[in-house]
Every structure is written in C-alpha cells, then in structure tokens.
Amino acid sequence: MPAARKDKPPRPPRPPRAWRRVAAGALALLSRLEPVTALVTLATIAAISLVATSTPIAATVYQVPLVVAFALCLLHAASLPVAVVRPTIAVPLSLGTALGLQSFGTVPEAAAWPWWVVLIVGQSLVLLIVALRSSWRLATGAWFLSVAAPAVLAMVRHPERLDPSSINLVVFASIGGTSVLIGVVLAQWNEIRAQLLRERSLTVEEYSRRRLVEDRARIARELHDVIAHGLSIINVQSTTAKYRNPGLDPAVEREFDEIAASSRQALGEMRALLGVLRDSGPSEQAPQPGLGDVPDLVVQAERAGAQVRLDWFEGDAVEDVTELVGLAAYRIVQEALSNAIRHASGVPVRVRGRRDDSLIRVVVENDGGTTRDPATAGSGFGLVGMRERAESVAGTVTMEDTPGGGYVVEAVLPVRGADQESERP
C-alpha cells in the first residue's frame, strides 16, 4: 500500500500587494475630499493616462505629426477635468480636438477610424462626466454631434471606407450612448437622494418646531392653570378683605390695596407672557390633580369669599376614571371657578358632578350678576384651554349664558378618554 500522504501545513496569508495598498490609500484620500474635487482629481489622472497612450498611437499608427499629435491629445484629454466644472466648454473642446486628430495623418487599411480605441475611451468619459454634471439635453446633444460630425468627415475624406467607418461609428455610438445613459441615471439618482435628504432635514426641522410649539403651549397652559389661578385668588381676597373684615386699621387696608394692585399688575404681565408662549396645537398632559382634589379647590375658593355649593361624585363612582380625564375635569372646574370669582364676585356658584354610564358630566354654574371689569377681564386663554382640555380626552365642553343672567360651563368626558372613543365601532 502506498504510504499515506502527510498534510502540508497551511501557508501563511500573503501580505497585500503593493498596488492594493496604494489603491486603498488613494480611495481613503478621495473619500475625504469634496465630491467635485474628487471627480476633478480622477478626471485629471485619467487625462494623463490618455495623453500618455493616445499621443504615440496618433504619431505612429496614424502618422500625425508628433507636435500636432501631442497638442491635440493634450487638449482632448484636458476636456475631462474641464467637463467637471464647465461642461458647455468641454463638449466643443473634446469634439473639435477629436475631429482634428481624425483629419490629420493617414488611415491604415486595418486601423479603426474615425474613432480609435483610445479616442473612444476618452470621448465616452467626457460624455459620462457631462451627463453627470449637466443636463441630459447637453449630454445627448454632445453624443449626437460626436456621431454625426465624424460620419460627415468619413463621407467627405474617405468615401471608399464607408463600411468599416460605419461599423466604427456604430461601436462608438453604442459605447458613448451607454456612457450618457449611465451618467443620466447616476445624476438623477444623486438628485433624488439630495432631495430626500432635504426633505428629511425639513421634516426634522418641522418636528423640532412642532415640539417647541407643544412645549410652549404646555407651559402656557400650566402657567394659566396654576399661577394665574392663584393670582386671581390673591387679587379677590385682597380686594374684598376690607368688606369681609370691617373695622380694619387704615394701614392694613392700604396694605391690602397694594397687594391687590400688585396682583393685578402680575396678572397683566402673566397674560402678556401667555400671549407670547401660547399657540394652538396639542400638548402633552402631565399627571396632576384629579377629581378627588376638587373639594379642596372649592375650599380654596370659599376662602377667597366665594359662595360655592358642591354636589360631587360619591363613593367609587369615579374609580375607573383615567388620570388624564380626572386632570381635564379638575382644570375645567378650576378655570370655571376662577372666572366666576373674577366676573361674578359674591354670586353663589354650584359645582356638580354626575356619572352617566361611560361618561362623566361636570357642571359649574352661577346665578347671575356677571360683570366685565376691565381690571379683571381675562385674555380668553382660559376658555380655549377648557375646550382643549376636553378635546384632549375626546370630550366636549359647552359654555353659555343662562336665562337668569348667569353663566354655565358643562363638560362631558369619557371615563377612559380617547381610548374609549377609539374602541367604538
């Protein structure tokens, strides 16, 4: 039996060849450049290569004088980097120099003419760059002239070579047309990509602006609901203190008058601030007081001198009410009480809460005597805020005058808010 062959040890991996390292370094360098600069660099490298190859071919194969061949090949190759920055100049430059090379010298029997192989490569690159950097109309026109002008030259100068010249022109037309097509497709792809990037940027900016508006609306709402309400209570308490507590010392009365004036000034400044911050649009709700805190709100209003009768939910009637619905109901009652204290001071106010299957009804009503004192006139943000509070949980709120000259605010809110409305068939 033949002896078993021993497995050879694996060869160590070969180090990358020098040209691969050079290519990798060149690509890394080009990736750091601007697109136009990188394209000009590549076009310049291609132009140097074309001059080095086309000049000897023109001088030896086609018998073009060396000086003329070098000059025309140099200009034709120079049209490559020129096409990157000035496509309208590169088209006549490349076509004119190509026709000049085709016109000088002789045409050997077996040589490709009017477009040599090197000229086909150079002119196709020019057409590709023109299609990338300019409109498809210019690129298509350049391709058509690059086919038509040499065809006329072939018929005039060498009518006896029409068949091989026609084949040569067909080959060039195919390669040049493909270059134009590739350039147009790449240009359109770049344009679509740039447009998508712009749209994405605009979308991000619009989202940021919307978030800013929502934050400003939320801040304005919370300022109005919390701070403005407290300032209104302070204003009413300090204004009515001397009537609720007769026999106060004159110095104390002046102190209360100053507090009332300062609170009115603060309310005015607060309304101006709300005018800057406020903007229509949805805003996020933060969990705050709910239905169980309304009795404390009524006690606070009574301390300010209001006569409030509360007929509120009993027991576990509102245990399944979500926090957002409870917050909306609380804010609506808070705003309605604040309006009643400001505009109908001393008039009895009734606050009622009722459960109706999957809905809760909150009513705040006063009997009359509503006044519109300019010193206590509101900015209207509170009424808008009540509507927005109700709409944020898929509810409604109505505000209207009563036959007796009073005013009533009634809110109807789903127990589970917007989730309940979305579950309806």
Side-chain angles (χ1 to χ4, degrees), residues 6 30 35 99 104 128 159 162 216 246 257 277 291 330 343 349 361 371 382 401 404 408:
K6 295 182 178 181
L30 290 175
L99 290 175
F104 283 97
L128 174 63
L162 288 182
R216 292 171 64 178
D257 291 338
L277 293 176
L291 293 173
Y330 178 90
H343 306 307
V349 181
R361 297 180 181 272
T371 59
D401 297 325
V408 59

Side-chain angles (χ1 to χ4, degrees), residues 58-366:
T60 58
V61 178
Y62 295 92
Q63 301 299 316
V64 179
L66 180 59
V67 176
V68 177
F70 177 76
L72 293 177
C73 290
L74 181 62
L75 291 175
H76 187 265
S79 61
L80 288 176
V82 172
V84 178
V85 292
R86 292 291 187 270
T88 54
I89 297 177
V91 170
L93 177 62
S94 62
L95 184 57
T97 53
L99 290 175
L101 287 170
Q102 294 163 0
S103 301
F104 283 97
T106 60
V107 182
E109 186 65 25
W113 190 86
W115 288 104
W116 324 331
V117 175
V118 181
L119 280 184
I120 290 176
V121 173
Q123 191 68 13
S124 297
L125 289 177
V126 171
L127 295 175
L128 174 63
I129 296 175
V130 169
L132 284 173
R133 299 293 297 167
S134 185
S135 65
W136 65 269
R137 295 180 180 84
L138 179 61
T140 304
W143 170 81
F144 176 77
L145 292 176
S146 298
V147 175
V152 174
L153 179 64
M155 288 186 293
V156 172
R157 186 178 178 194
H158 295 287
E160 73 282 358
R161 288 179 50 91
L162 288 182
D163 289 342
S165 298
S166 300
I167 296 174
N168 178 266
L169 288 172
V170 169
V171 172
F172 169 77
S174 301
I175 298 175
T178 302
S179 299
V180 172
L181 180 61
I182 293 174
V184 170
V185 171
L186 291 178
Q188 292 297 319
W189 181 81
N190 285 331
E191 183 177 353
I192 293 173
R193 180 173 176 270
Q195 185 176 0
L196 289 176
L197 291 176
R198 288 195 298 269
E199 292 296 331
R200 183 180 300 176
S201 177
L202 291 176
T203 302
V204 172
E205 293 178 0
E206 181 63 26
Y207 175 76
S208 301
R209 286 196 295 267
R210 188 173 72 248
R211 288 296 302 271
L212 176 61
V213 170
E214 291 176 358
D215 289 342
R216 292 171 64 178
R218 178 180 57 81
I219 294 171
R221 175 174 293 162
E222 299 305 329
L223 282 174
H224 182 276
D225 290 344
V226 179
I227 301 178
H229 174 75
L231 289 175
S232 298
I233 296 296
I234 294 173
N235 180 41
V236 173
Q237 285 181 319
S238 57
T239 302
T240 61
K242 59 185 177 182
Y243 303 105
R244 291 183 289 106
N245 302 279
L248 290 176
D249 186 85
V252 177
E253 290 186 5
R254 286 194 301 271
E255 188 75 18
F256 276 116
D257 291 338
E258 291 176 0
I259 294 174
S262 299
S263 62
R264 282 193 295 271
Q265 181 181 358
L267 278 172
E269 295 174 354
M270 180 65 64
R271 293 184 189 118
L273 177 61
L274 292 178
V276 175
L277 293 176
R278 186 80 175 187
D279 192 85
S280 61
S283 63
E284 298 181 357
Q285 306 290 332
Q288 289 188 5
L291 293 173
D293 299 290
V294 170
D296 296 334
L297 191 64
V298 171
V299 171
Q300 185 180 13
E302 290 175 342
R303 290 175 181 171
Q307 303 177 29
V308 184
R309 187 176 68 187
L310 179 65
D311 184 9
W312 203 235
F313 301 98
E314 296 181 356
D316 58 353
V318 292
E319 280 189 352
D320 55 344
V321 176
T322 64
E323 292 183 359
L324 292 180
V325 174
L327 172 63
Y330 178 90
R331 292 305 188 194
I332 291 172
V333 173
Q334 183 184 46
E335 178 60 26
L337 278 177
S338 180
N339 288 340
I341 293 173
R342 285 199 302 266
H343 306 307
S345 179
V347 176
V349 181
R350 293 183 297 276
V351 179
R352 301 193 302 273
R354 291 290 181 271
R355 175 70 181 265
D356 184 9
D357 293 333
S358 60
L359 302 174
I360 60 171
R361 297 180 181 272
V362 176
V363 180
V364 180
E365 181 180 5
N366 66 295

